[in-house]
């Protein structure tokens, strides 16, 4: 209601050609969008989805209606992904994931990409069917957890970020396991979180890295790197496609027919 009142007053005193609706971080703001249009007769040009200037995005009524109805907004999600991601870096990280070399620096890059896309909440609301299943409390906890993990990673040394085994090691030689345990205790002090939180993050990171290797095993990431729009296929499938597309060379041989010449 306040948005509609302010818009009407500005339109009356100054005259406007359009409006910017800030804090468009909840689907309940759809009512405010309708009110702004109704009282001023002017369109909404941009909406704010965060706190910074980079968080202004063009307003599309049909896409907003789709989000409110829980149908998602795949088009905006794709556009945000194209803007937020460096596809060359994404391809490099993908290969590191496949080999199990994914490190904490890569983790931070992925987190920053998610933030550029509107955070975890912004992404989930644009996925069809997810809006009604994720509560605001769940989104708040997810965002809080993501910020905490970034604080933990930023408190690591450069060597630890490049070599996660220095932190996550829990088996093997006793001296190396003890060194990793000591590093986690020191990291807890530097980051201001408990040792239990560090251990929890370490377990999550290790499981995530293991899952990446399993999911990407045998996948042909080079094709995706050359063409981001190409579907992800296995190396076996790519070789089969190349074999199928390969032209059979014509056989050599002379002409001739049946019978003998005289």
């Amino acid at each position: 209601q306040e948005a509609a009142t302010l818009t009407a007053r500005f339109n009356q005193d100054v005259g406007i050609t359009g409006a910017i609706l800030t804090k468009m971080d909840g689907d309940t703001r759809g009512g405010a969008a309708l009110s702004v249009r109704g009282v001023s007769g002017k369109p909404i040009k941009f909406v704010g989805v965060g706190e910074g200037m980079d968080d202004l995005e063009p307003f599309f009524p049909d896409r907003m209606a789709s989000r409110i109805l829980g149908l998602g907004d795949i088009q905006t999600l794709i556009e945000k992904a194209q803007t937020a991601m460096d596809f060359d870096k994404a391809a490099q990280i993908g290969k590191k994931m496949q080999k199990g070399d994914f490190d904490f620096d890569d983790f931070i890059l992925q987190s920053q990409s998610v933030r550029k896309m509107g955070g975890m909440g912004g992404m989930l609301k644009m996925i069809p069917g997810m809006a009604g299943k994720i509560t605001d409390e769940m989104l708040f906890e997810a965002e809080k957890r993501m910020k905490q993990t970034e604080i933990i990673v930023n408190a690591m040394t450069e060597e630890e970020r490049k070599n996660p085994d220095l932190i996550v090691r829990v088996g093997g030689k006793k001296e190396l396991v003890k060194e990793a345990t000591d590093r986690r205790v020191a990291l807890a002090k530097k980051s201001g979180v408990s040792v239990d939180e560090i251990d929890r993050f370490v377990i999550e990171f290790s499981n995530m890295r293991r899952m990446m290797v399993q999911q990407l095993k045998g996948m042909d990431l080079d094709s995706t790197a050359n063409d981001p729009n190409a579907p992800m296929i296995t190396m076996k499938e790519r070789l089969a496609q190349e074999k199928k597309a390969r032209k059979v060379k014509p056989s050599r041989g002379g002409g001739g027919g049946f019978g003998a010449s005289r």
Side-chain angles (χ1 to χ4, degrees):
Q1 183 60 40
E2 187 66 21
T5 303
L6 288 173
T7 304
R9 187 61 182 269
F10 266 95
N11 189 45
Q12 178 182 344
D13 295 347
V14 181
I16 61 174
T17 58
I20 298 176
L21 188 60
T22 59
K23 289 189 176 181
M24 194 67 177
D25 51 1
D27 295 335
T28 55
R29 297 279 178 169
L34 292 174
S35 298
V36 167
R37 175 72 177 183
V39 300
S40 67
K42 302 298 190 296
I44 295 175
K45 300 287 190 179
F46 296 93
V47 292
V49 294
E51 301 295 330
M53 290 297 294
D54 292 339
D55 295 322
L56 283 177
E57 63 178 35
F59 178 72
F60 298 100
D62 54 338
R63 298 185 189 182
M64 181 54 58
S66 181
R67 290 190 214 178
I68 293 173
L69 294 173
L71 302 178
D73 185 358
I74 290 298
Q75 185 62 37
T76 299
L77 182 62
I78 293 173
E79 291 173 358
K80 283 181 174 288
Q82 292 173 337
T83 302
M85 293 182 180
D86 183 323
F87 285 104
D88 290 335
K89 287 184 179 179
Q92 294 173 7
I93 291 176
K95 291 181 179 180
K96 294 179 71 175
M97 289 178 179
Q98 190 177 44
K99 296 177 181 178
D101 295 334
F102 186 79
D103 59 34
F104 289 117
D105 282 334
D106 301 324
F107 177 85
I108 287 294
L109 285 175
Q110 295 294 83
S111 296
Q112 291 172 346
S113 295
V114 171
R115 189 182 298 111
K116 289 179 182 178
M117 294 174 65
M120 189 71 70
M123 285 180 56
L124 290 175
K125 287 184 178 181
M126 287 184 282
I127 299 176
M130 292 298 294
K133 297 179 181 179
I134 306 298
T135 65
D136 290 339
E137 290 76 13
M138 294 169 65
L139 292 176
F140 176 79
E141 287 300 322
E143 296 287 354
K144 181 181 177 181
R145 181 63 180 160
M146 183 176 291
K147 290 178 181 178
Q148 185 183 63
T149 56
E150 289 189 14
I151 291 173
I152 292 173
V153 173
N154 288 331
M156 295 178 184
T157 65
E158 182 177 354
E159 183 184 22
E160 291 169 344
R161 292 196 300 271
K162 294 291 185 185
N163 186 3
D165 286 339
L166 295 175
I167 294 286
V168 305
R169 188 186 301 275
V170 293
K173 295 183 178 179
K174 291 183 178 180
E175 59 270 22
L176 295 178
V177 173
K178 183 181 185 304
E179 180 185 351
T181 301
D182 292 341
R183 284 179 181 271
R184 291 198 294 272
V185 172
L187 181 59
K189 293 179 180 178
K190 288 191 292 184
S191 60
V193 302
S194 67
V195 176
D196 288 341
E197 286 293 333
I198 298 294
D199 290 341
R200 177 186 170 190
F201 172 59
V202 164
I203 292 173
E204 290 175 350
F205 181 84
S206 298
N207 290 339
M208 177 179 65
R209 199 160 58 153
R210 191 179 305 112
M211 188 181 301
M212 289 173 179
V213 174
Q214 293 173 351
Q215 295 292 329
L216 296 176
K217 183 178 180 180
M219 301 305 293
D220 178 25
L221 298 184
D222 288 331
S223 296
T224 308
N226 295 331
D227 181 8
N229 296 318
M232 188 174 289
I233 59 175
T234 64
M235 288 292 296
K236 185 177 180 180
E237 289 172 331
R238 183 170 71 86
L239 292 175
Q241 290 178 359
E242 291 178 352
K243 184 177 180 180
K244 186 177 180 180
R246 193 180 300 124
K247 293 181 179 180
V248 179
K249 294 181 180 180
S251 58
R252 295 180 180 179
F258 292 101
S261 60
R262 295 187 180 186

